[in-house]
Amino acid sequence: MWGGRFAAGPDAIMEAINASIGFDKRLAAQDIQGSRAHAAMLAAQGVISDNDARAIREGLLTVLSEIEAGSFAFSTALEDIHMNVEARLKEIIGAPAGRLHTARSRNDQVATDFRLWVRDQIDGAIAGIGALQRALLAQAEAGADWVMPGFTHLQTAQPVTWGHHMMAYVEMLGRDASRFRDARARMNECPLGAAALAGTSFPIDRHMTAEALGFDAPCANSLDAVSDRDFALEFLSAATICAMHLSRLAEELVIWSSAQFRFVVLSDRFSTGSSIMPQKKNPDAAELLRAKIGRIMGAMVALFTVMKGLPLAYSKDMQEDKEQVFDAADTLLLSLAAMGGMVRDMAADRAALEAAAASGFSTATDLADWLVRELGLPFREAHHVTGALVKLAETEGRDLPDLTLAQMQSVHDGITEAVFGVLGVHNSVASRQSYGGTAPAQVRAQIARWKEKLG
């Protein structure tokens, strides 16, 4: 490849550090897709003959079939997927293969391949998110009126419904999907034809290749087209946020499936045993998911570090853009699939959830609200009265609903028998009718909205 300029071949160490075929062969389908579009455009513009374009197109299909069949011999000496494909194409069709690279560079070629690949991964992530949302919706619908403790600081706060808790993750994942869709729309411009950095003197039609490859338009600046990887960084950023949400849900599944909580039972398909303790059923899938964000966030930081100081346009540093993105995409898609499986299979224990919901003075806020609403107390005074009643109940070793009216009136003589109507956990959740609240009617309304949205 460098014979015209260099008298000697590269050192073996240089060849090893320079070659990217070990990982960028994953771009084979996108590389061939881009080359076919480029050849068709060159023929349409009269830059190459129709016969050459036909030979190139058919030869590239042969190369693709060999790669898909696993019979293609990749060569480190040829550095990357682009030169491996071109070299094999020359073996198949001869001289016309040398005309394929007219009016393009590996700089715009790899930028195009990489955008196509990331675009495919975004589509896969959106599909995986949708599948997980549907699994969460099924759980929410089954338990729309099941009460459970809501937590702040991992301390019992107020009763909520199981459906409401599941729907919180549906909302988070909905924003994740929207971030991926936004990133896809922003990156959907085609670098092909930017050539090395300055465009080309050949009469190419960049709009034709952009349309053929499903892009909205060509990149408007040739320097920018070959030198930036913000589309990959945006993908990694969205993937990191999504993985963070998966990690939070995984953490809850680990806690909830413990003997101390018993809120859920994870299926055997997503659990493992112990080599020494026969009673163990470990939530290993959830624990691994909890950790996966480290790899995805690490990929994002690594690529930001590669790109942060590069002058325009292309630098070889940018060869380090792919492995992290490949690994992050693989990790995210696997994580979404695993979480979807766990959520679909898990069984929530309604009785355990309800028993826990009634503990920890979870209806104290309902009592305070009642004092404000019925007795006209300022909220701060109601808060003080309720705190005194909680202390009394704690001293007595009972919960708020178990106090007698006389005991309550010893703290505030305005309290009446009607207060007991707000102290039960079911009464509590049913009263939270504000939009987005935990009342079963509100939860079911949100389930219906998301079902329609997801189709």
Side-chain angles (χ1 to χ4, degrees), residues 209-280:
T209 47
E211 183 178 357
L213 294 171
F215 289 105
D216 296 328
C219 295
N221 184 284
S222 59
L223 283 167
D224 175 55
V226 300
S227 68
D228 209 345
R229 294 296 184 266
D230 57 354
F231 65 91
L233 287 166
E234 198 164 0
F235 168 73
L236 291 175
S237 299
T240 299
I241 297 172
C242 183
M244 176 270 294
H245 287 147
L246 296 180
S247 183
R248 295 185 72 183
L249 178 53
E251 166 75 351
E252 295 206 302
L253 296 183
V254 171
I255 293 171
W256 290 349
S257 62
S258 69
Q260 289 69 35
F261 274 74
R262 299 186 185 274
F263 285 3
V264 300
V265 176
L266 300 178
S267 76
D268 291 350
R269 298 197 312 143
F270 291 96
S271 305
T272 64
S274 166
S275 63
I276 189 173
M277 295 169 284
Q279 84 281 8
K280 293 295 292 299

Side-chain angles (χ1 to χ4, degrees), residues 37-313:
H38 185 66
M41 180 275 295
L42 291 177
Q45 294 298 107
V47 177
I48 65 174
S49 70
D50 289 339
N51 287 337
D52 283 351
R54 188 179 307 109
I56 289 169
R57 180 175 66 251
E58 292 173 358
L60 286 171
L61 289 175
T62 299
V63 174
L64 181 61
S65 67
E66 291 176 354
I67 292 173
E68 290 177 341
S71 60
F72 189 94
F74 292 102
S75 168
T76 302
L78 291 170
E79 290 190 11
D80 56 35
I81 187 60
H82 321 299
M83 298 311 300
N84 269 263
V85 168
E86 186 175 320
R88 178 60 181 142
L89 182 65
K90 184 176 181 180
E91 291 175 353
I92 296 170
I93 68 171
R99 298 187 175 93
L100 173 60
H101 209 54
T102 306
R104 77 175 183 187
S105 161
R106 285 191 298 172
N107 294 356
D108 62 333
Q109 189 178 356
V110 69
T112 303
D113 293 357
F114 201 20
R115 284 195 190 222
L116 289 170
W117 191 90
V118 171
R119 196 174 68 182
D120 290 343
Q121 304 314 300
I122 287 175
D123 292 341
I126 292 171
I129 288 169
L132 175 53
Q133 285 179 298
R134 290 181 181 89
L136 289 161
L137 280 171
Q139 287 283 350
E141 193 165 29
D145 57 357
W146 297 4
V147 291
M148 67 175 289
F151 299 94
T152 61
H153 309 278
L154 202 56
Q155 305 293 314
T156 300
Q158 295 175 346
V160 296
T161 55
W162 172 257
H164 193 56
H165 202 114
M166 294 296 100
M167 292 303 295
Y169 285 103
V170 173
E171 293 289 341
M172 293 180 212
L173 290 163
R175 292 192 297 277
D176 291 331
S178 72
R179 273 183 281 270
F180 281 119
R181 283 191 288 267
D182 289 347
R184 192 190 196 284
R186 228 177 332 274
M187 66 168 283
N188 206 34
E189 295 180 347
C190 185
L192 198 57
L197 75 162
T200 178
S201 59
F202 289 95
I204 63 173
D205 183 350
R206 293 190 61 209
H207 288 86
M208 178 180 174
T209 47
E211 183 178 357
L213 294 171
F215 289 105
D216 296 328
C219 295
N221 184 284
S222 59
L223 283 167
D224 175 55
V226 300
S227 68
D228 209 345
R229 294 296 184 266
D230 57 354
F231 65 91
L233 287 166
E234 198 164 0
F235 168 73
L236 291 175
S237 299
T240 299
I241 297 172
C242 183
M244 176 270 294
H245 287 147
L246 296 180
S247 183
R248 295 185 72 183
L249 178 53
E251 166 75 351
E252 295 206 302
L253 296 183
V254 171
I255 293 171
W256 290 349
S257 62
S258 69
Q260 289 69 35
F261 274 74
R262 299 186 185 274
F263 285 3
V264 300
V265 176
L266 300 178
S267 76
D268 291 350
R269 298 197 312 143
F270 291 96
S271 305
T272 64
S274 166
S275 63
I276 189 173
M277 295 169 284
Q279 84 281 8
K280 293 295 292 299
K281 183 177 180 181
N282 298 325
D284 281 7
E287 291 173 351
L288 288 166
L289 276 175
R290 189 172 55 185
K292 292 296 185 184
I293 185 175
R295 293 175 66 155
I296 296 173
M297 185 187 297
M300 179 183 68
V301 173
L303 186 53
F304 268 114
T305 305
V306 168
M307 296 300 300
K308 71 174 181 63
L310 297 185
L312 298 181

Side-chain angles (χ1 to χ4, degrees), residues 352-406:
L353 290 168
E354 184 163 341
S359 67
F361 309 106
S362 64
T363 57
T365 306
D366 298 276
L367 174 55
D369 288 347
W370 184 88
L371 293 169
V372 171
R373 189 171 55 250
E374 301 299 326
L375 303 187
L377 271 61
F379 183 80
R380 286 303 170 201
E381 183 180 346
H383 187 285
H384 180 79
V385 170
T386 302
L389 287 168
V390 167
K391 185 175 181 179
L392 174 60
E394 193 171 39
T395 302
E396 293 285 325
R398 58 181 69 183
D399 202 357
L400 284 172
D402 301 322
L403 291 175
T404 67
L405 180 59

Side-chain angles (χ1 to χ4, degrees), residues 296-446:
I296 296 173
M297 185 187 297
M300 179 183 68
V301 173
L303 186 53
F304 268 114
T305 305
V306 168
M307 296 300 300
K308 71 174 181 63
L310 297 185
L312 298 181
Y314 181 83
S315 297
K316 193 70 170 181
D317 311 50
M318 292 164 69
Q319 183 168 292
E320 294 296 314
D321 61 357
K322 297 174 195 66
E323 287 181 278
Q324 304 97 314
V325 179
F326 291 163
D327 183 72
D330 291 345
T331 301
L332 179 65
L333 295 182
L334 176 61
S335 297
L336 286 166
M339 184 59 83
M342 276 193 292
V343 171
R344 277 189 296 273
D345 285 4
M346 73 180 179
D349 188 324
R350 183 176 184 176
L353 290 168
E354 184 163 341
S359 67
F361 309 106
S362 64
T363 57
T365 306
D366 298 276
L367 174 55
D369 288 347
W370 184 88
L371 293 169
V372 171
R373 189 171 55 250
E374 301 299 326
L375 303 187
L377 271 61
F379 183 80
R380 286 303 170 201
E381 183 180 346
H383 187 285
H384 180 79
V385 170
T386 302
L389 287 168
V390 167
K391 185 175 181 179
L392 174 60
E394 193 171 39
T395 302
E396 293 285 325
R398 58 181 69 183
D399 202 357
L400 284 172
D402 301 322
L403 291 175
T404 67
L405 180 59
Q407 287 175 312
M408 289 193 178
Q409 289 176 337
S410 71
V411 175
H412 193 286
D413 59 11
I415 297 175
T416 68
E417 191 76 32
V419 73
F420 293 100
V422 301
L423 293 182
V425 291
H426 289 281
N427 293 332
S428 175
V429 297
S431 71
R432 308 291 174 179
Q433 290 285 354
S434 57
Y435 181 82
T438 192
Q442 283 293 325
V443 172
R444 291 188 176 100
Q446 295 302 330

